[in-house]
Amino acid sequence: MASSSSGCLPHRSSRILRRESGAQSFPVSLRPIYVLAGLAFLISVATLAKFNYITPLSFSDRFCNSHGSFEGDGFNIRSQMRKTIESAIFKIHQEMDDLKALEASSSSPPSDSSASGSMFRHVAFLADLLSLIQSVHMELPSFEEKFVVDHPLKKQNGDPGEHFMREEIKKYIKIKPNRLGKQNFMGANGTFTSIGHACFAMKKDLEEYMDYDVGEICNDDWRLAQKLMVHGCDPLPRRRCFSRAPQLYHKPFPINESLWKLPDNRNVRWGQYKCKNFACLASNTTARKGFFKCTDCFNLTHHESPRWVNRGEIDPETNQTADFSVQEVLEIKPGEIRVGLDFSVGTGTFAARMKERNVTIVTATINLGAPFNEMIALRGLVPLYLTVNQRLPFFDSTLDMIHTTRFLDGWIDLILLDFVLYDWDRALRPGGLLWIDGFFCLKEDLSDYMEAFKALRYRKHKWVVVPKRDKDDKEVFFSAVLEKPPRPFR
């Protein structure tokens, strides 16, 4: 079809069929037929609109003049439907113009024979029009079915849920179609719940995790859940059971007290830890109470309160320290640091120090042998129960700062570190700060790790390497404060 300013239909002047000057005018008695035709067409269009995954009836130049090719049966079906509807609309416009031409050129009243001929022609026209619309209507059910089952999960052999025995896992994984049978406000015709790919390799553990009574109290199985997460079964499926609460719950302390005060022992809700209360966690005994790098993290008064306020231990040979204070880092961007992430192992002390300076920090950590997340929450801070396996749950360019300590160390694979750093870069806004706090590794690996940080091409505000003296001088500390560049569109 030739395009025009009014859409895909040919110019009206080129399709009006002129009659002889003696042709008969349009009979008034036939007008109800055209009313019925218009009504039938509107009903058909409304039927099409019900299935809102069909391409809208648009006749703009974008559709008319497109020369690109699209693969897939779904597009071919939509294209054929569009052409059929266009043909029907073209015929209606053509007939309307013909009738106007007849009426304008008529000079005598119609005879019975001419009326009979016009009736026959109009009935044939309506039959032709309705057959076109009916052909589109008949294609809709098959197209709807194809659209629903064309999701990648359906392209696999069988239902993924059939891999498991527990009914709860099957119900969770199964695609949930929308009740109304059409796309929701998010543009999906169903809900596609997911589990980590490693869950299939940990079938026994996952089925134990999903073995519960719906509506009852969940098992005390946080260690099993964390084992699944750390080994790649992440994210875990949701469960329909109630999480355990403390037997003797006590409301938390006010925010002006909770930051630097041990929580009430009545709020203990965990099991399978060596320490059964907060006093034990904060004690100075040598008993192992959790992650070896953070056995003193629960001692808020002696171990935690000086952190990020005073400069750390200064190396006598280099006269440097790997520790920066919160104040000196915030002075790099005065007034610009408002929200951020601390991806570390600890009890939220970094977030507490930043909160005192009106900066909101979310603390991401897991419970490595001790209730770190519970402690963070009871201090009035925000814990994010997150493993290194997961993409950060933040939108692009939204954080002013990302801080990390006791996490990114010489154990991490270089490719994994690359993925982590690029994801952090995604979440940081232009001009945001990345604070690498006390990263340590073997001296022989330092250059490799340095290249990973340099690949970000950040501006260096602070960059220091200090010997780590407790490992026979074989390890080093590395700390840096880096600024993300604007990276304008090119």
Side-chain angles (χ1 to χ4, degrees):
M1 296 181 182
S3 63
S4 69
S5 59
S6 60
C8 294
L9 300 177
H11 288 287
R12 184 171 298 178
S13 59
S14 65
R15 63 174 185 261
I16 296 180
L17 302 179
R18 299 295 182 182
R19 298 293 193 264
E20 297 179 357
S21 59
Q24 303 299 322
S25 63
F26 166 55
V28 177
S29 61
L30 296 180
R31 290 180 180 175
I33 296 178
Y34 295 97
V35 175
L36 292 176
L39 182 61
F41 180 73
L42 290 175
I43 293 174
S44 300
V45 172
T47 304
L48 289 174
K50 176 181 178 182
F51 301 92
N52 63 354
Y53 50 83
I54 302 295
T55 304
L57 299 179
S58 174
F59 305 101
S60 64
D61 291 341
R62 182 168 62 91
F63 290 101
C64 300
N65 302 324
S66 175
H67 300 290
S69 61
F70 296 84
E71 297 179 357
D73 295 337
F75 175 79
N76 292 334
I77 293 175
R78 290 194 299 270
S79 178
Q80 187 61 41
M81 289 181 178
R82 178 173 58 83
K83 291 179 180 178
T84 304
I85 294 296
E86 287 178 0
S87 178
I89 294 176
F90 172 75
K91 287 178 178 291
I92 291 175
H93 277 277
Q94 186 179 46
E95 189 69 11
M96 290 175 62
D97 289 338
D98 290 347
L99 292 173
K100 289 179 180 179
L102 284 172
E103 188 173 9
S105 61
S106 175
S107 59
S108 60
S111 63
D112 293 340
S113 59
S114 62
S116 176
S118 297
M119 173 70 75
F120 177 79
R121 188 171 68 86
H122 298 318
V123 169
F125 163 72
L126 289 177
D128 186 24
L129 178 62
L130 289 176
S131 65
L132 288 172
I133 297 174
Q134 187 176 16
S135 66
V136 175
H137 185 268
M138 292 176 63
E139 288 291 338
L140 288 176
S142 60
F143 181 69
E144 180 189 17
E145 180 182 358
K146 177 175 181 58
F147 181 85
V148 173
V149 302
D150 203 31
H151 190 273
L153 286 175
K154 289 295 186 179
K155 294 180 181 179
Q156 302 177 0
N157 295 327
D159 188 343
E162 296 302 320
H163 179 77
F164 301 98
M165 299 296 293
R166 295 289 176 195
E167 189 65 24
E168 277 294 276
I169 305 179
K170 295 180 180 181
K171 289 180 179 179
Y172 181 79
I173 297 177
K174 184 178 179 181
I175 297 176
K176 319 302 190 300
N178 297 336
R179 294 283 301 274
L180 298 179
K182 60 181 181 180
Q183 287 183 352
N184 57 23
F185 64 94
M186 296 180 290
N189 66 320
T191 303
F192 308 95
T193 47
S194 64
I195 56 177
H197 70 281
C199 295
F200 293 89
M202 304 180 71
K203 176 181 177 180
K204 181 178 179 181
D205 291 323
L206 184 62
E207 290 190 334
E208 181 182 349
Y209 174 74
M210 296 296 286
D211 184 13
Y212 58 85
D213 295 324
V214 176
E216 297 298 326
I217 301 296
C218 301
N219 298 323
D220 185 11
D221 54 5
W222 73 266
R223 294 185 67 180
L224 173 63
Q226 189 163 280
K227 174 186 175 183
L228 287 164
M229 293 170 61
V230 171
H231 287 84
C233 186
D234 194 17
L236 285 171
R238 291 170 173 164
R239 297 199 293 187
R240 297 190 292 174
C241 58
F242 296 108
S243 62
R244 290 179 171 266
Q247 291 185 348
L248 299 171
Y249 176 77
H250 186 266
K251 66 180 181 179
F253 298 124
I255 189 62
N256 59 337
E257 298 180 27
S258 63
L259 287 181
W260 302 105
K261 185 176 181 179
L262 277 179
D264 193 296
N265 284 329
R266 287 174 289 184
N267 287 329
V268 172
R269 57 156 299 276
W270 63 84
Q272 305 180 47
Y273 292 116
K274 183 177 181 63
C275 281
K276 305 302 181 184
N277 53 59
F278 291 104
C280 171
L281 290 168
S283 67
N284 293 321
T285 61
T286 58
R288 183 166 178 169
K289 296 167 289 186
F291 186 46
F292 70 95
K293 293 183 184 179
C294 209
T295 53
D296 294 326
C297 289
F298 293 87
N299 187 337
L300 300 182
T301 55
H302 296 88
H303 182 268
E304 293 293 283
S305 60
R307 299 187 69 193
W308 296 290
V309 176
N310 303 323
R311 297 294 298 270
E313 183 179 353
I314 297 178
D315 180 71
E317 294 185 8
T318 62
N319 197 32
Q320 290 182 319
T321 177
D323 298 330
F324 309 134
S325 70
V326 164
Q327 185 62 33
E328 65 180 308
V329 172
L330 291 180
E331 287 176 353
I332 296 174
K333 292 279 187 175
E336 291 188 29
I337 307 302
R338 306 153 301 162
V339 292
L341 169 71
D342 179 27
F343 206 129
S344 304
V345 177
T347 56
T349 297
F350 179 80
R353 283 296 177 209
M354 297 295 274
K355 187 178 182 65
E356 292 173 338
R357 291 162 174 80
N358 297 320
V359 178
T360 300
I361 296 292
V362 176
T363 304
T365 188
I366 57 175
N367 287 1
L368 292 172
F372 292 109
N373 279 271
E374 294 95 317
M375 180 71 173
I376 294 168
L378 288 169
R379 292 181 73 178
L381 305 168
V382 181
L384 189 64
Y385 193 51
L386 191 70
T387 68
V388 70
N389 307 327
Q390 284 196 39
R391 182 178 189 263
L392 288 182
F394 301 105
F395 196 67
D396 300 0
S397 300
T398 54
L399 300 180
D400 299 320
M401 172 184 284
I402 294 181
H403 169 267
T404 182
T405 188
R406 294 174 175 158
F407 168 67
L408 286 184
D409 292 326
W411 64 270
I412 194 168
D413 175 77
L414 287 169
I415 298 296
L416 173 59
L417 177 61
D418 235 19
F419 277 105
V420 169
L421 290 180
Y422 274 90
D423 189 39
W424 289 4
D425 174 85
R426 175 192 61 80
L428 267 178
R429 66 165 176 82
L433 298 181
L434 175 60
W435 183 351
I436 308 299
D437 191 355
F439 178 97
F440 69 86
C441 63
L442 295 172
K443 286 183 177 179
E444 60 194 59
D445 295 332
L446 179 62
S447 60
D448 293 331
Y449 284 115
M450 289 288 194
E451 287 303 316
F453 293 108
K454 290 178 181 178
L456 296 174
R457 299 185 179 90
Y458 280 17
R459 177 185 176 186
K460 299 177 183 177
H461 288 285
K462 294 182 179 295
W463 183 284
V464 61
V465 177
V466 179
K468 191 172 184 290
R469 300 296 182 184
D470 61 346
K471 291 290 185 180
D472 300 324
D473 203 29
K474 293 182 179 180
E475 293 181 335
V476 293
F477 279 118
F478 163 68
S479 293
V481 179
L482 311 172
E483 179 181 339
K484 178 180 175 178
R487 294 200 196 104
F489 292 108
R490 290 190 292 269

